[in-house]
């Protein structure tokens, strides 16, 4: 038996323990990281949809801020204290959106980021997966469960987004296995693509501005957005910072980055790479993520300048 099979068996044992904990808990609270992307939303909301589908009498709450805040719930501290808390798609505890998760009497996590922090009584981390939604889909499939169309749609959206439409190096055979199973659960890939990738005109304008303002330094391409750039076009900070792939698919570019000014005047960095590992550099600035897709927040101008220089050097060293 190979080590990877043992590892997966170990994860499935944790998942079975998590299913038992869900069945036993009358109250379940669901958390994910700040500035949520579709994988964070998808893994969180899919769990909520499935639990409500499987256990209609349980109290289930999804917590956190973000663009889909209207789909989030508000609960008091006592409710969380009496709950099983499940954190999805989050590598370290500081990035959990709503730190009240620590009040819960039991804590679990499902994640695919590089392991930088251990927390929770049940910790299911599979770094070889292209998305947390992929892990959940495979675990549900292996458990022989039916999850319902809404949960399946959320998982497919998260999987398609985090795998960048199944194009990045973390995509594996199991990624397509997960997608196929989700379609069997009535998820619609055309609907997912429309939800994820269709843009209104103001977002198109921001993407065009990002490309127009791009600066090329050797094998490194980057763009900087000010608050005025996106607010004058009626675009939110969250939407603006998510347009990093306006700089993608340029021949000869090894690393690309979007630096978006936050409402407080500091900068958020969205970093992407064709094959260069950039996560260790992101960690040096208090950020993190995957080897080829990272985020950093709260950069001042001095840090921003230094980071740009280091990314330029890193990109050039891989040519």
């Amino acid at each position: 038996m190979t080590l990877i099979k043992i590892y997966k068996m170990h994860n499935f044992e944790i998942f079975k323990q998590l299913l038992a904990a869900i069945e036993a808990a009358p109250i379940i609270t669901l958390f994910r990281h700040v500035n949520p992307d579709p994988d964070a939303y998808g893994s969180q909301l899919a769990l909520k949809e499935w639990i409500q589908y499987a256990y209609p009498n349980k109290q289930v709450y999804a917590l956190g801020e973000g663009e889909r805040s209207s789909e989030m719930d508000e609960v008091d501290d006592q409710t969380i204290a009496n709950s099983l808390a499940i954190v999805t798609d989050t590598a370290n505890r500081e990035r959990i959106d709503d730190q009240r998760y620590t009040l819960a009497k039991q804590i679990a996590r499902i994640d695919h980021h590089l392991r930088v922090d251990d927390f929770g009584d049940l910790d299911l981390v599979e770094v070889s997966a292209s998305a947390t939604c992929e892990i959940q889909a495979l675990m549900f499939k292996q458990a022989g469960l039916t999850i319902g169309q809404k949960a399946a749609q959320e998982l497919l959206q998260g999987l398609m987004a985090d795998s960048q439409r199944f194009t990045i190096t973390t995509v594996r055979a199991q990624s397509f296995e997960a997608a196929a199973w989700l379609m069997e659960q009535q998820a619609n890939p055309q609907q997912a693509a429309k939800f994820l990738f269709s843009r209104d005109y103001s977002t198109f304008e921001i993407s065009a501005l990002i490309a127009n303002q791009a600066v090329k330094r050797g094998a490194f391409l980057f763009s900087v957005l000010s608050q005025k750039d996106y607010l004058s076009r009626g675009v939110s900070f969250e939407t603006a910072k998510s347009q990093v792939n306006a700089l993608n698919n340029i021949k000869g570019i090894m690393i690309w980055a979007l630096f978006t000014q936050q409402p407080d005047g500091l900068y958020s960095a969205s970093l992407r790479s064709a094959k260069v590992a950039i996560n260790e550099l992101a960690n040096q600035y208090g950020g993190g993520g995957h080897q080829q897709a990272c985020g950093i927040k709260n950069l001042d101008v001095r840090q921003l300048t230094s980071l740009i220089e280091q990314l330029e050097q890193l990109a050039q060293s891989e040519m």
Side-chain angles (χ1 to χ4, degrees), residues 216-263:
K216 182 179 180 295
R217 293 190 181 175
F220 175 48
L221 186 70
F222 70 94
S223 191
V224 180
L225 280 181
S226 69
Q227 289 184 62
K228 182 179 178 181
D229 286 333
Y230 58 84
L231 292 178
S232 65
R233 291 167 173 81
V235 175
S236 69
F237 165 73
E238 289 80 9
T239 298
K241 72 182 285 291
S242 70
Q243 303 306 305
V244 58
N245 282 324
L247 304 171
N248 195 4
N249 297 321
I250 309 298
K251 288 183 179 180
I253 297 300
M254 302 296 293
I255 299 174
W256 59 101
L258 175 61
F259 303 104
T260 310
Q261 192 173 30
Q262 300 170 179

Side-chain angles (χ1 to χ4, degrees), residues 6-39:
I6 293 171
Y7 178 63
K8 288 178 181 175
M9 285 176 61
H10 173 66
N11 271 348
F12 187 59
E13 287 303 315
I14 296 173
F15 187 69
K16 288 196 293 184
Q17 293 174 40
L18 176 57
L19 291 179
I22 289 171
E23 186 167 0
I27 305 173
I28 299 157
T29 50
L30 304 170
F31 299 80
R32 37 75 182 161
H33 62 72
V34 296
N35 299 323
D37 58 8
D39 192 33

Side-chain angles (χ1 to χ4, degrees), residues 69-83:
S69 58
S70 62
E71 299 174 65
M72 299 294 110
D73 302 300
E74 294 185 8
V75 297
D76 57 29
D77 292 357
Q78 192 58 50
T79 299
I80 297 174
N82 292 330
S83 75

Side-chain angles (χ1 to χ4, degrees), residues 22 31 33 47 55-56 69 79 108 113-114 168 234 257 259 264 281 290:
I22 289 171
F31 299 80
H33 62 72
L47 273 180
Y55 303 99
S69 58
T79 299
H113 293 87
L114 294 172
I168 60 175
F259 303 104
D264 61 6
L281 180 56
H290 311 294

